[in-house]
Amino acid sequence: MTKKEINSGTFKADYFVYLFFVLYVVILFAERTAALVKGFTDPAYIFYNSSDFVQWYTHILTAVGLAVCFITSVTVNRYVFVFLFTRSAEHKAKTDYGKMAITVAAVLVGGMTHTNFTLLWLQFVSYGALLISMLIRTVSASFLKRPDVTKGRLAVSYLYIVCLSMAIPVVYSTQIATRFVFVPLEIVTALVLVFVFCFKLAEFYRSGGLTNFGILSAVYAAAADTVLFVLRFGEMQNYFLIVFLAFTVIFFIVGRAVYGNRTLTYFSGRKHPHGYFEGWYLKITNGKEVLSFIPSYHTEKDGRRYAMLQIIGTDKPLKFVFGSENFRACEDEFRVLLSDCRFSYDGISLNLEYEGHSVKGDVAFDGLTPPKKDIMGFFAGFPFMECKHGVLSMRHSAKGKITIDGKVYDFTDGHGYIEKDFGTSFPSSYLWTQGCDGENSVMLSVARIPYLGLKFTGCIAFVYLNGREYRLATYNGAKVLRNDAECAVIKKGNLRLEVYPLKEHAHPLAAPDIGAMSRTVYESAAAEVRYVLAERNEILLDMTVPSAGYERGE
């Protein structure tokens, strides 16, 4: 996997994403510079407006924003500009979509203010270039292989973030009676929403046209803009602001209702320099034999970075540790490279010789089935959670062979499952199990979850049965009735899920603790587990899986 491939499959389109981004920065930088120079060099303007706080606030903020914009353009974003001239894969690999948002924020804070020297038409031209850059990113990303992302989700994400940006109020001078309250409120609202927009823009660029539909930003924008509109209604009717606020709320409701507040399941470790882990769990089974692969990335408390690959099955588990330079992963699709091993939605490719062990083979995936919404529900948007969980495919077919130290595993008629965890640590105590008979799939997780000094028991379970998804989770009213070594029982309304571990073959597995893989848990990669789903008195599923995953952490 080359650097070009690991960055994304949209290498050519990236050129135009960067081109219009640079046009936005250059045009708005020139417009703000011209307005600043005129403001400070016009004697009449200085004399007659010396007591206008908004005008001076604008000049100071613009000057600071221009300085930060210039500094970030020649430092953290310099390779964006270099790539436009070289178009080399090496320079493209050094660019960072997320850091582009820093430059956007810097020049935008001054752009969201208005003076007598503001050239509105030029500001609209520059912002149009940014919207085109975002649109190209959205369209190009639609060609990536992402079974969990539809074109509808991409469209709603794009329209939501565009309307949110248009709902940022522009700070004008005013003479209303409440200006001593209104002006500070408008300034704070503009600055907060610029920050929110640029945070989402970084996420949008990195993830390939996606954004989470977080409720806090939508509520703040709606409340603050409405108050500003009402306070200034007698002096100026800013219908532009209120119309785009309405569209922001509409696209937020549609996005949240249809797609949920999805945890982005692609690599995000670059944003976390200390005490962080991110790992993927890929399971393959033919009904009898089973192999699970866990590629992972870690940063310890002191900033040390490394990667790991664990392989567990019915035999002794294997663990391989690599330097961080041997790890690369996409931020806009599931594609991980660890040494000479590749993991993606297409399948697994292995070519590893390590400390006397040999792991080789290829397995192709087809018919991946992601959940309709994020399995964590609204918890997906909660900050400061110890661990977040995502499912990439509930079941899919697998075809190929893998040879480990001379033993051949034949998955010609196999099936698989993919999930992901990321955060700081695994919960202190938890139950996790997953089983599939080739068509139907069950996953259950029950954990003791710490959050902001409190602790609560949460559960997440889904059953994929005959093409229909049943979900039982804390956020939709499910309760844990029993959870011990003999049985786990979850109930939501008339639905009841029972899990019985019948046989276990536990092996030690390294688990994260504040980023470091210093904890040992025990997982049975090929346990025999019975899953029973009932609705009222009707048994919907009674499935015993001899190759189920089963793990308890204490």
Side-chain angles (χ1 to χ4, degrees):
M1 188 178 297
T2 64
K3 288 184 179 180
K4 171 181 173 180
E5 180 184 2
I6 202 66
N7 273 300
S8 77
T10 60
F11 184 81
K12 293 181 179 178
D14 286 340
Y15 177 83
F16 295 98
V17 174
Y18 292 151
L19 174 63
F20 282 97
F21 163 77
V22 169
L23 286 175
Y24 160 77
V25 172
V26 170
I27 294 172
L28 190 54
F29 188 93
E31 187 278 334
R32 289 286 81 196
T33 301
L36 188 66
V37 170
K38 288 181 180 179
F40 280 113
T41 57
D42 188 321
Y45 178 78
I46 294 293
F47 180 77
Y48 289 112
N49 293 277
S50 59
S51 62
D52 190 337
F53 169 76
V54 171
Q55 300 292 325
W56 286 106
Y57 161 80
T58 298
H59 291 323
I60 294 170
L61 191 67
T62 298
V64 173
L66 291 175
V68 175
C69 176
F70 177 79
I71 292 171
T72 57
S73 295
V74 299
T75 55
V76 295
N77 287 316
R78 66 186 182 278
Y79 286 108
V80 172
F81 295 83
V82 172
F83 175 64
L84 292 181
F85 294 98
T86 64
R87 301 195 187 190
S88 74
E90 180 181 357
H91 291 145
K92 171 64 182 69
K94 294 179 180 179
T95 61
D96 184 343
Y97 268 129
K99 291 177 180 177
M100 290 163 56
I102 300 173
T103 300
V104 171
V107 72
L108 189 59
V109 290
M112 298 312 297
T113 57
H114 179 81
T115 71
N116 295 346
F117 301 105
T118 297
L119 299 176
L120 285 176
W121 68 271
L122 199 55
Q123 286 193 355
F124 279 116
V125 169
S126 68
Y127 204 67
L130 180 62
L131 299 187
I132 292 173
S133 171
M134 295 163 58
L135 181 61
I136 294 172
R137 179 65 173 142
T138 300
V139 173
S140 64
S142 68
F143 293 98
L144 296 172
K145 184 173 182 178
R146 302 189 294 186
D148 56 331
V149 178
T150 64
K151 288 181 172 59
R153 174 168 168 78
L154 285 171
V156 172
S157 291
Y158 176 76
L159 293 172
Y160 171 65
I161 194 171
V162 167
C163 291
L164 178 64
S165 70
M166 297 294 186
I168 303 174
V170 177
V171 180
Y172 285 81
S173 296
T174 181
Q175 297 301 318
I176 61 175
T178 57
R179 62 184 178 275
F180 296 108
V181 174
F182 175 84
V183 171
L185 177 61
E186 187 172 45
I187 288 173
V188 170
T189 299
L191 291 177
V192 169
L193 290 183
V194 165
F195 171 80
V196 169
F197 166 66
C198 290
F199 177 82
K200 288 187 173 294
L201 181 63
E203 174 186 78
F204 177 89
Y205 270 137
R206 278 176 165 155
S207 64
L210 299 174
T211 185
N212 281 334
F213 301 98
I215 193 169
L216 293 179
S217 56
V219 169
Y220 178 81
D225 280 1
T226 301
V227 170
L228 293 173
F229 181 80
V230 171
L231 288 176
R232 201 169 191 172
F233 188 80
E235 181 186 64
M236 181 180 67
Q237 289 72 42
N238 193 348
Y239 292 112
F240 179 90
L241 179 71
I242 213 69
V243 165
F244 276 99
L245 174 62
F247 280 120
T248 300
V249 173
I250 290 171
F251 288 121
F252 165 78
I253 293 173
V254 171
R256 190 65 180 257
V258 177
Y259 304 107
N261 196 32
R262 183 179 295 275
T263 296
L264 300 177
T265 50
Y266 317 123
F267 182 61
S268 57
R270 180 156 51 169
K271 300 181 292 184
H272 302 275
H274 303 284
Y276 176 81
F277 82 94
E278 188 164 352
W280 297 261
Y281 178 93
L282 300 93
K283 177 182 174 182
I284 316 169
T285 178
N286 56 18
K288 296 180 180 179
E289 294 179 311
V290 58
L291 287 176
S292 295
F293 298 85
I294 309 174
S296 57
Y297 170 85
H298 307 272
T299 61
E300 297 193 356
K301 290 186 290 185
D302 60 3
R304 187 171 75 92
R305 300 169 182 262
Y306 58 94
M308 184 179 291
L309 173 62
Q310 297 184 84
I311 305 174
I312 54 175
T314 53
D315 297 325
K316 183 180 178 180
L318 299 177
K319 181 174 69 174
F320 309 108
V321 181
F322 304 90
S324 59
E325 68 277 5
N326 293 302
F327 175 90
R328 291 197 296 276
C330 284
E331 294 177 303
D332 56 3
E333 60 178 326
F334 171 46
R335 193 177 296 272
V336 176
L337 171 63
L338 186 52
S339 186
D340 288 326
C341 301
R342 307 181 190 189
F343 307 90
S344 72
Y345 278 132
D346 294 318
I348 297 174
S349 179
L350 306 165
N351 183 21
L352 183 62
E353 299 283 348
Y354 189 101
E355 294 184 351
H357 294 286
S358 175
V359 182
K360 298 181 183 292
D362 295 278
V363 176
F365 298 157
D366 192 29
L368 290 104
T369 310
K372 294 178 180 178
K373 294 183 180 180
D374 190 275
I375 63 167
M376 289 192 67
F378 58 78
F379 287 114
F382 277 32
F384 313 119
M385 292 200 74
E386 183 180 54
C387 182
K388 290 189 177 182
H389 190 71
V391 173
L392 282 71
S393 179
M394 297 181 287
R395 49 99 29 226
H396 51 268
S397 64
K399 184 176 182 179
K401 295 181 180 181
I402 293 175
T403 303
I404 300 179
D405 294 339
K407 181 177 180 178
V408 179
Y409 296 82
D410 190 342
F411 299 108
T412 301
D413 296 311
H415 54 268
Y417 169 83
I418 309 174
E419 68 175 32
K420 173 181 178 176
D421 290 283
F422 59 103
T424 59
S425 307
F426 269 11
S428 57
S429 62
Y430 65 92
L431 160 69
W432 172 88
T433 183
Q434 188 277 328
C436 179
D437 64 1
E439 294 297 328
N440 304 311
S441 179
V442 178
M443 189 280 291
L444 167 65
S445 178
V446 180
R448 188 66 174 164
I449 301 170
Y451 191 72
L452 300 179
L454 303 175
K455 286 189 176 183
F456 65 96
T457 298
C459 64
I460 301 171
F462 72 74
V463 179
Y464 181 76
L465 175 60
N466 299 324
R468 181 179 175 184
E469 183 181 324
Y470 297 85
R471 188 175 300 220
L472 304 86
T474 300
Y475 56 81
N476 67 7
K479 303 292 184 182
V480 180
L481 301 184
R482 182 179 176 183
N483 179 26
D484 55 45
E486 296 180 355
C487 180
V489 181
I490 312 297
K491 189 174 187 299
K492 172 186 171 290
N494 295 318
L495 284 175
R496 181 184 177 97
L497 176 64
E498 300 176 2
V499 176
Y500 301 92
L502 304 178
K503 293 180 182 180
E504 297 183 50
H505 305 280
H507 294 290
L509 182 69
D513 183 15
I514 314 181
M517 295 295 274
S518 57
R519 180 181 172 189
T520 299
V521 296
Y522 291 86
E523 177 179 336
S524 296
E528 184 176 346
V529 181
R530 181 187 177 197
Y531 304 93
V532 180
L533 178 69
E535 186 171 18
R536 295 185 175 89
N537 296 320
E538 179 185 0
I539 302 297
L540 303 179
L541 174 71
D542 191 342
M543 176 178 73
T544 298
V545 179
S547 57
Y550 188 85
E551 179 180 335
R552 276 191 176 273
E554 301 294 345

